[in-house]
Amino acid sequence: MYDRVMSETQNRRDFLKASALAAGGVALGGARRTVAANDRVTLGYIGTGRMGLGNMRHQLEIDQADIAAVCDVYQPSLDKAVEMLDGKVDAYVDFRRLLDRQDIDAVVVSSPDHWHALHTVLACEAGKDVFVEKPLATSIGEGRRMVDVARRTSRVVQVGTMQRSAEHFQHAIQMVRDGAIGKVSFVRCWNASNEYPEGIGNPADGAPPAGLDWDLWLGPAPERPFNTNRFGVGDRWSTFRFFWDYAGGMLTDWGIHLMDIAIWAMQDEVPNRVTTSGGKYFLSDNRDTPDTLQSTYEFDDWVMTYTNQACNGRGFDGRGYGIHFHGTEGTMFVDRSGFEVMPEYHRDPDGIAVRPKTPALRGRSIGSGNREHHENWLDCVRSREQPICDVEIGHRSSVLPHLGNIAYRTGSMVDWDGVAEKCVGNSKANALIDRKYRKQWRV
């Protein structure tokens, strides 16, 4: 890992910015398996639930790749993927059989969060490039090892924070960097919903449904009885994300999308200190993660907060989610539908309002970024350049929600050393930097 060979006297901030902020343009040499510039890429899919099928649709729209194999531990999900591909695909329950295929150039990992690290590492070791959904992993330690393996094997790894590929987000970020709203000292990110009182419900443990290999679904996670919410597959977004064994709640599910854009705009992804307050106050379901939470991230000269409320649907300015950049000359709001700049009015010594330097401005989204994100990855599979959300960038973005959860679960203030990737003087927090696997699995 290149952190370790840098001079100890080098400024920590300068090093981290230089090593992680630039996206693209860096060639990855020594690939075990390469695809020519005009060749179609042969893909395998690990995880064919709702997210996996969505990723598959984007690939079919792009039509630059051939999907040769799909894999899922739940037969109904696997059947949907086979049907989408008109039966012209090989289907597996065990992902290792897919990775053994020498004809597959790259894999798309859309499995539950607790599988991301193993699927990505083993795919890289098998000589395959990877598109892996966010968050990169369920712990900071796993994420760092994923970066190390990707570099050692010269694999192209794209992380699924697709907002980076949306044109209106890129435009908004450039405006912030160019000083369009002045000096930014505070960034607010939030999600708001009202799931009161039942939330995701409280089903009893029971027998797994037909066609599910529950032990393989658990994989590296602790052995638990089957519970439909822990599995979480249905008409709604999967509820496994609300259990610590498999994910990190709204912080790692949605918070990462918003904070990823914030740190990209601010060109500073390493906080000095993180605190989190909140709890599970009103929802009567069986989730582990809180229904009300606020994390605060202190950087050198700015502060970011992430707020999630699951018992009231009115967010800031009445919006259910988004990002506010608060600058000396204006405020920018941005979400997936577009952005808006609201000028800051100053007054002269006589108290008369002065015309703002920044004009009011709005921009609409022309796309979600999903398709562009997959296209960028395929382009980089051919060119061997780093994608727009390379694994190192995805790792540093994933660190933020993990630190928020660590602060919450330990009830402590976390001082963060971004080079060593350790919590300073906090043994309870450092115990959560990594996670334990069941003995038959390791990465």
Side-chain angles (χ1 to χ4, degrees):
M1 188 171 66
Y2 49 74
D3 296 26
R4 298 171 182 166
V5 300
M6 302 299 288
S7 168
E8 292 182 1
T9 61
Q10 184 178 4
N11 179 272
R12 179 168 71 96
R13 292 280 160 183
D14 291 343
F15 162 63
L16 290 170
K17 288 179 182 179
S19 64
L21 282 169
V26 180
L28 299 173
R32 296 182 191 175
R33 179 181 178 88
T34 58
V35 181
N38 296 319
D39 283 355
R40 294 176 67 85
V41 180
T42 302
L43 297 178
Y45 269 71
I46 302 176
T48 59
R50 184 170 177 175
M51 184 64 74
L53 294 180
N55 285 331
M56 199 176 296
R57 290 188 190 96
H58 298 310
Q59 289 288 354
L60 293 174
E61 290 171 3
I62 297 167
D63 194 24
Q64 296 178 10
D66 298 312
I67 302 172
V70 293
C71 172
D72 202 284
V73 300
Y74 185 44
Q75 192 65 44
S77 294
L78 198 55
D79 291 343
K80 288 180 182 178
V82 172
E83 181 181 1
M84 182 182 292
L85 298 168
D86 298 325
K88 301 174 182 178
V89 65
D90 295 323
Y92 303 103
V93 172
D94 192 324
F95 72 96
R96 289 166 291 195
R97 293 188 61 195
L98 183 149
L99 294 182
D100 285 340
R101 293 270 297 263
Q102 296 300 306
D103 60 322
I104 291 177
D105 303 305
V107 298
V108 177
V109 175
S110 306
S111 50
D113 298 2
H114 67 290
W115 267 109
H116 288 180
L118 270 167
H119 285 157
T120 299
V121 165
L122 294 176
C124 288
E125 294 282 11
K128 304 180 193 314
D129 300 316
V130 181
F131 182 107
V132 56
E133 272 302 334
K134 57 78 200 168
L136 182 63
T138 52
S139 72
I140 295 169
E142 288 174 296
R144 173 49 60 196
R145 289 192 293 279
M146 293 165 78
V147 175
D148 290 346
V149 171
R151 293 292 183 259
R152 174 170 56 78
T153 59
S154 299
R155 293 295 95 198
V156 175
V157 179
Q158 173 92 296
V159 182
T161 44
M162 78 293 180
Q163 292 177 164
R164 285 188 175 238
S165 292
E167 185 175 332
H168 77 283
F169 274 109
Q170 295 171 357
H171 185 69
I173 285 167
Q174 194 59 53
M175 289 179 65
V176 172
R177 291 186 176 187
D178 290 344
I181 57 173
K183 296 184 181 300
V184 177
S185 59
F186 181 63
V187 180
R188 175 188 285 119
C189 309
W190 73 93
N191 291 102
S193 62
N194 195 336
E195 303 169 40
Y196 180 81
E198 296 181 357
I200 61 175
N202 200 357
D205 294 342
L212 172 64
D213 187 330
W214 177 239
D215 185 68
L216 191 53
W217 187 93
L218 289 172
E223 186 174 355
R224 306 284 190 202
F226 174 82
N227 185 281
T228 188
N229 275 350
R230 286 179 173 271
F231 178 45
V233 172
D235 294 333
R236 57 189 173 183
W237 285 109
S238 297
T239 50
F240 69 80
R241 55 181 47 93
F242 299 116
F243 295 87
W244 297 124
D245 284 346
Y246 324 117
M250 287 296 286
L251 258 170
T252 56
D253 182 49
W254 251 103
I256 184 174
H257 277 306
L258 305 176
M259 291 187 285
D260 175 64
I261 293 298
I263 62 174
W264 196 22
M266 297 298 290
Q267 298 179 274
D268 187 2
E269 74 267 81
V270 183
N272 298 314
R273 177 170 292 170
V274 181
T275 56
T276 302
S277 58
K280 186 180 177 185
Y281 298 130
F282 296 117
L283 296 185
S284 59
D285 57 22
N286 65 341
R287 75 178 69 195
D288 295 332
T289 58
D291 58 31
T292 306
L293 171 144
Q294 178 162 298
S295 293
T296 301
Y297 300 81
E298 299 177 33
F299 296 81
D300 281 350
D301 56 5
W302 64 289
V303 172
M304 175 175 67
T305 61
Y306 172 76
T307 303
N308 177 57
Q309 57 199 55
C311 299
N312 179 280
R314 184 175 178 82
F316 295 97
D317 288 347
R319 294 175 165 114
Y321 78 100
I323 310 166
H324 273 151
F325 293 93
H326 294 272
T328 55
E329 302 300 329
T331 299
M332 175 183 285
F333 167 79
V334 61
D335 69 1
R336 292 180 183 176
S337 65
F339 65 88
E340 181 179 2
V341 174
M342 295 151 279
E344 185 79 2
Y345 286 84
H346 299 279
R347 294 187 179 275
D348 66 16
D350 297 323
I352 299 174
V354 179
R355 184 175 181 177
K357 298 178 182 178
T358 299
L361 183 67
R362 290 188 178 184
R364 290 186 177 181
S365 166
I366 59 171
S368 65
N370 275 305
R371 174 172 174 163
E372 293 83 357
H373 211 54
H374 284 272
E375 281 185 307
N376 172 253
W377 176 57
L378 292 177
D379 288 344
C380 291
V381 167
R382 298 185 184 94
S383 70
R384 311 314 297 168
E385 293 183 348
Q386 288 184 357
I388 194 169
C389 194
D390 169 65
V391 62
E392 176 76 39
I393 295 171
H395 169 61
R396 296 193 186 276
S397 293
S398 298
V399 164
L400 294 169
H402 290 322
L403 287 177
N405 278 331
I406 288 171
Y408 169 75
R409 297 181 72 181
T410 60
S412 65
M413 181 168 57
V414 173
D415 291 312
W416 181 241
D417 181 339
V419 172
E421 295 193 336
K422 295 291 183 183
C423 304
V424 180
N426 191 329
S427 58
K428 290 195 302 181
N430 279 323
L432 296 178
I433 293 292
D434 224 322
R435 64 186 291 243
K436 295 180 180 179
Y437 281 14
R438 284 201 289 170
K439 62 181 181 180
Q440 61 266 49
W441 301 101
R442 66 189 181 119
V443 60

